[in-house]
């Protein structure tokens, strides 16, 4: 579904992605973790080309991202992206946030788009907020709307870039619950997160990154019980017991 | 001792009143057509200025520099006295059969004002967080569609106060159209003064009309802002 082969990316002098080789199969849930500045957000943003790569090969859903003939807008429509800061459209109601892309890109009828939006809102537990505006919602609610907005395009792949990092602790659970529910539907998911509980329970595989390199890839039970790389051991130690 | 005899009847009834009324109509026409066109052209130029397509960006930049940095009166004279010299005869014949003064005035005012509007809109767009564009692009919208549905609706809201200023400028600048013989309000007030020597009354009447016109434009835009544009905005 997603195949990185020898991918490199630089921001000026900074080598943010260094020889990434990663294969994500259909239906897989991959959690990417690592210290801040390790390149994990950049990695996930290359998948829908919010960040273009400089070198290597990246194939997503059969489309080569470096091929000039690839219609990037078409590809992006098949990929849902959930941001750390939600990024809902503040001038549109919750319902319009969700129906905008299906109406304008998929040319779905208004009736169908709204019915589908209501189904999605019910699924994320916010059906009663259809007419609210983003500024009237809590962070957790906004993020759930953002997930519904992404799902409205019926994407094949969902990308989550630290979806709970901007949330108050009591709201993290509601967003993770929606994501866990989603993982059960068999959609391909790549999740950048520090929520190790989520990684342990939901992920099929965990990738650990540091300094632009994927240092370790493993099933979650192996990764958490017996991390191979020294940096991964330190990272987990700090994350799981930050007081020591 | 004031010897001037006020005679307000020249501007409230009769032939001269009708001249002023017809001048009002022309001023209103220029203003409304000019504002609508200047807003549309301003939006287009603003989008071109911000696009990744180099020729579009360069064209917009040249347009902005050129029309913002030359006097409006020169631009009006250029369109009226200059432009037809380089047009084919057939086009000129057609232009002369129409109301060319009016068209030249509207073109000049539209282009001049659109340059200022474009820069106001651009500064509005720059104040929208870049994540909004990322959200739109990642949903699969092209640059232009993202602008159309997500960025510009937010940017225009922020831009309402400077936009009102530009609309008012256009309405007031329409008085310069008299220099090429457009029979708008100032032209007619001048006519009334020439025929009656009642300059105080004639230009007081014109002043009042401009005041009413300007306040109406301000009120209309604010009404639109409140009623039609999203009242629950977060910005």
């Amino acid at each position: 579904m997603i195949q990185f082969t020898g991918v490199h990316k630089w921001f000026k002098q900074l080598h943010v992605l260094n020889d990434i080789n990663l294969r994500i199969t259909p239906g897989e849930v991959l959690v990417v973790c690592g210290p801040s500045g390790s390149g994990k957000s950049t990695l996930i943003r290359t998948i829908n080309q919010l960040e273009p790569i400089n070198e290597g090969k990246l194939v997503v859903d059969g489309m080569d991202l470096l091929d000039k003939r690839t219609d990037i807008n078409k590809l992006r429509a098949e990929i849902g992206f959930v941001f750390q800061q939600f990024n809902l459209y503040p001038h549109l109601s919750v319902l319009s946030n969700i129906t905008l892309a299906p109406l304008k890109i998929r040319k779905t009828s208004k009736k169908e788009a709204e019915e589908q939006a209501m189904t999605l809102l019910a699924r994320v537990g916010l059906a009663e907020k259809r007419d609210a505006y983003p500024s009237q919602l809590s962070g957790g609610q906004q993020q759930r709307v953002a997930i519904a907005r992404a799902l409205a395009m019926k994407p094949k792949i969902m990308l989550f870039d630290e979806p709970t990092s901007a949330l108050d602790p009591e709201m993290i659970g509601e967003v993770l619950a929606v994501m866990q529910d989603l993982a059960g539907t068999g959609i391909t998911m790549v999740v950048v997160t520090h929520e190790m509980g989520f990684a342990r329970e939901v992920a099929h595989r965990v990738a650990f990154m540091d300094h632009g390199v994927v240092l370790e890839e493993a099933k979650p039970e192996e990764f958490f019980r017996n991390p191979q790389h020294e940096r991964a051991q330190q990272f987990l130690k700090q994350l799981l017991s930050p007081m020591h | 001792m004031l010897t001037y005899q006020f005679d307000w009847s020249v501007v409230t009834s009769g032939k001269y009143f009708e001249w002023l009324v017809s001048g009002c109509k022309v001023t209103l026409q220029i203003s409304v057509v000019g504002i609508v066109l200047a807003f549309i052209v301003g939006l287009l130029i603003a989008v071109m200025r911000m696009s990744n397509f180099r020729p579009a960006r360069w064209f917009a930049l040249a347009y902005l520099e050129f029309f913002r940095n030359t006097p409006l009166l020169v631009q009006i004279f250029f369109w009226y006295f200059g432009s037809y010299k380089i047009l084919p005869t057939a086009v000129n014949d057609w232009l002369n059969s129409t109301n060319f003064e009016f068209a030249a005035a509207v073109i000049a005012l539209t282009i001049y004002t659109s340059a200022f509007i474009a820069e106001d809109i651009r500064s509005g767009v720059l104040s929208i967080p870049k994540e909004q564009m990322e959200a739109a692009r990642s949903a699969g919208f092209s640059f232009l569609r993202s602008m159309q549905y997500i960025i510009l609706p937010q940017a225009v809201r922020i831009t309402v106060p400077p936009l009102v200023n530009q609309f008012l400028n256009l309405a007031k600048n329409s008085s310069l159209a008299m220099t090429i013989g457009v029979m708008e309000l100032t032209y007619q007030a001048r006519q009334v003064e020439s025929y009656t020597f009642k300059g105080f009354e004639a230009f007081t009447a014109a002043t009042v009309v401009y005041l009413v016109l300007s306040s109406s434009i301000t009120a209309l835009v604010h009404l639109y802002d409140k009623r039609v544009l999203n009242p629950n905005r977060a910005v």
Side-chain angles (χ1 to χ4, degrees), chain B residues 35 164 195:
Chain B
I35 285 172
V164 171
Y195 278 74

Side-chain angles (χ1 to χ4, degrees), chain A residues 7-35:
Chain A
V7 167
H8 290 265
K9 180 171 177 67
W10 289 267
F11 287 132
K12 302 251 170 73
Q13 302 290 325
L14 193 65
H15 203 165
V16 275
L17 295 179
N18 187 350
D19 193 23
I20 304 291
N21 293 284
L22 203 58
R23 194 180 135 84
I24 299 147
T25 54
E28 187 178 14
V29 178
L30 173 75
V31 162
V32 182
C33 63

Side-chain angles (χ1 to χ4, degrees), chain A residues 45 48 50 72-74 76-77 79 81 83 87-92 100-101 104-105 133 135-136 149 153, chain B residues 130-143 149-151 153-154 157 230-235:
Chain A
R45 287 161 63 90
N48 72 347
L50 281 180
I72 190 66
N73 293 328
K74 205 172 158 196
R76 281 172 175 157
I79 306 175
F81 199 101
F83 297 86
N87 299 342
L88 293 177
Y89 311 132
H91 62 302
L92 298 177
L100 184 69
K104 304 297 182 187
I105 296 174
Y133 282 82
S135 59
Q136 298 164 326
R149 175 177 70 174
M153 291 295 278
Chain B
K130 71 172 190 345
E131 287 79 9
Q132 285 291 309
M133 182 55 103
E134 284 188 349
R137 295 309 299 271
S138 70
F141 286 108
S142 66
F143 171 78
Y149 298 124
I150 290 118
I151 307 299
Q154 297 181 55
R157 279 204 62 94
N230 163 20
N232 287 300
R233 61 172 170 163
V235 283

Side-chain angles (χ1 to χ4, degrees), chain A residues 4-180:
Chain A
F4 289 81
T5 315
V7 167
H8 290 265
K9 180 171 177 67
W10 289 267
F11 287 132
K12 302 251 170 73
Q13 302 290 325
L14 193 65
H15 203 165
V16 275
L17 295 179
N18 187 350
D19 193 23
I20 304 291
N21 293 284
L22 203 58
R23 194 180 135 84
I24 299 147
T25 54
E28 187 178 14
V29 178
L30 173 75
V31 162
V32 182
C33 63
S36 61
S38 60
K40 52 196 192 307
S41 277
T42 308
L43 178 84
I44 199 171
R45 287 161 63 90
T46 60
I47 298 173
N48 72 347
Q49 223 184 43
L50 281 180
E51 302 287 355
I53 64 171
N54 298 124
E55 215 179 287
K57 194 172 157 105
L58 176 51
V59 178
V60 180
D61 191 24
M63 294 197 235
D64 184 343
L65 290 198
L66 283 189
D67 188 338
K68 284 202 169 67
R69 285 165 300 178
T70 296
D71 182 345
I72 190 66
N73 293 328
K74 205 172 158 196
L75 177 64
R76 281 172 175 157
E78 305 296 335
I79 306 175
F81 199 101
V82 177
F83 297 86
Q84 182 177 348
Q85 297 292 347
F86 336 129
N87 299 342
L88 293 177
Y89 311 132
H91 62 302
L92 298 177
S93 68
V94 163
L95 191 71
S96 300
N97 260 278
I98 300 172
T99 58
L100 184 69
L103 284 175
K104 304 297 182 187
I105 296 174
R106 296 263 193 258
K107 311 287 182 202
T108 311
S109 73
K110 190 158 188 255
K111 183 166 169 283
E112 198 185 322
E114 288 186 354
E115 279 173 9
Q116 190 208 355
M118 286 315 294
T119 309
L120 287 167
L121 275 178
R123 191 159 139 201
V124 299
L126 291 170
E128 80 284 0
K129 296 291 185 188
R130 54 171 284 168
D131 296 318
Y133 282 82
S135 59
Q136 298 164 326
L137 302 179
S138 72
Q141 290 171 332
Q142 288 190 53
Q143 194 60 300
R144 286 187 280 156
V145 172
I147 293 171
R149 175 177 70 174
L151 290 174
M153 291 295 278
K154 302 197 175 77
K156 294 177 184 159
I157 302 169
M158 282 288 282
L159 306 174
F160 295 82
D161 187 7
E162 304 205 27
T164 57
S165 299
L167 296 176
D168 291 338
E170 71 268 25
M171 291 172 183
I172 292 174
E174 65 193 52
V175 171
L176 291 179
V178 168
M179 289 167 61
Q180 183 160 13

Side-chain angles (χ1 to χ4, degrees), chain B:
Chain B
M1 185 66 193
L2 194 66
T3 55
Y4 185 74
Q5 294 287 313
F6 287 99
D7 181 6
W8 292 100
S9 69
V10 295
V11 295
T12 54
S13 61
K15 182 171 75 175
Y16 303 122
F17 171 73
E18 277 163 26
W19 287 4
L20 289 176
V21 170
S22 90
C24 286
K25 281 184 191 157
V26 176
T27 291
L28 198 63
Q29 282 169 355
I30 298 179
S31 302
V32 171
V33 176
I35 285 172
V36 171
L37 292 180
F39 181 63
I40 295 169
V41 177
L43 274 177
L44 290 176
I45 296 292
V47 171
M48 286 170 81
R49 174 86 175 80
M50 289 176 291
S51 86
N52 279 328
F53 185 55
R54 260 191 210 155
R57 219 163 54 220
W58 286 344
F59 173 82
L61 203 63
Y63 183 98
L64 291 170
E65 291 306 318
F66 193 84
F67 292 110
R68 279 193 308 162
N69 294 328
T70 48
L72 175 57
L73 192 54
V74 174
Q75 291 182 32
I76 291 176
F77 285 164
F78 174 81
W79 293 112
Y80 186 62
F81 296 115
S83 68
Y84 75 89
K85 307 240 173 186
I86 56 166
L87 294 174
T89 323
V91 178
N92 274 321
D93 290 344
W94 177 76
L95 284 174
N96 289 330
S97 70
T98 63
N99 192 348
F100 183 47
E101 298 83 36
F102 182 86
V106 168
I107 290 170
L109 282 163
T110 295
I111 290 180
Y112 178 79
T113 313
S114 69
F116 291 92
I117 288 178
E119 281 300 85
D120 287 339
I121 289 174
R122 191 171 76 98
S123 72
V125 168
L126 292 179
S127 69
I128 306 293
K130 71 172 190 345
E131 287 79 9
Q132 285 291 309
M133 182 55 103
E134 284 188 349
R137 295 309 299 271
S138 70
F141 286 108
S142 66
F143 171 78
L144 288 179
R145 295 287 174 223
S146 303
M147 277 286 174
Q148 181 185 354
Y149 298 124
I150 290 118
I151 307 299
L152 288 177
Q154 297 181 55
V156 168
R157 279 204 62 94
I158 300 175
T159 317
V160 163
L163 279 181
V164 171
N165 281 338
Q166 302 306 344
F167 293 168
L168 294 182
N169 281 339
L170 189 145
K172 291 179 294 176
N173 286 338
S174 72
S175 60
L176 289 176
M178 74 169 285
T179 57
I180 54 170
V182 178
M183 292 157 83
E184 46 70 66
L185 181 59
T186 308
Y187 180 98
Q188 296 290 14
R190 181 89 180 79
Q191 286 285 95
V192 171
E193 194 271 338
S194 303
Y195 278 74
T196 63
F197 301 105
K198 293 294 171 197
F200 187 89
E201 291 84 341
F203 286 105
T204 302
T207 303
V208 169
V209 173
Y210 280 117
L211 269 175
V212 171
L213 176 64
S214 295
S215 337
S216 308
I217 291 171
T218 309
L220 275 174
V221 175
H222 284 299
L223 195 70
Y224 183 79
D225 187 31
K226 251 197 186 136
R227 292 278 168 84
V228 183
L229 298 175
N230 163 20
N232 287 300
R233 61 172 170 163
V235 283

Side-chain angles (χ1 to χ4, degrees), chain A residues 155-221:
Chain A
K156 294 177 184 159
I157 302 169
M158 282 288 282
L159 306 174
F160 295 82
D161 187 7
E162 304 205 27
T164 57
S165 299
L167 296 176
D168 291 338
E170 71 268 25
M171 291 172 183
I172 292 174
E174 65 193 52
V175 171
L176 291 179
V178 168
M179 289 167 61
Q180 183 160 13
D181 169 58
L182 189 60
T185 65
I187 193 170
T188 309
M189 281 168 68
V190 182
V191 184
V192 171
T193 185
H194 292 294
E195 292 298 327
M196 291 302 119
F198 177 83
R200 203 190 296 259
E201 282 178 41
V202 182
H204 300 140
R205 204 151 51 104
V206 176
F208 175 79
M209 281 185 80
D210 193 24
H211 292 104
V213 183
V214 176
L215 289 178
E216 196 161 336
E217 275 178 74
K219 289 212 156 69
E221 52 269 35

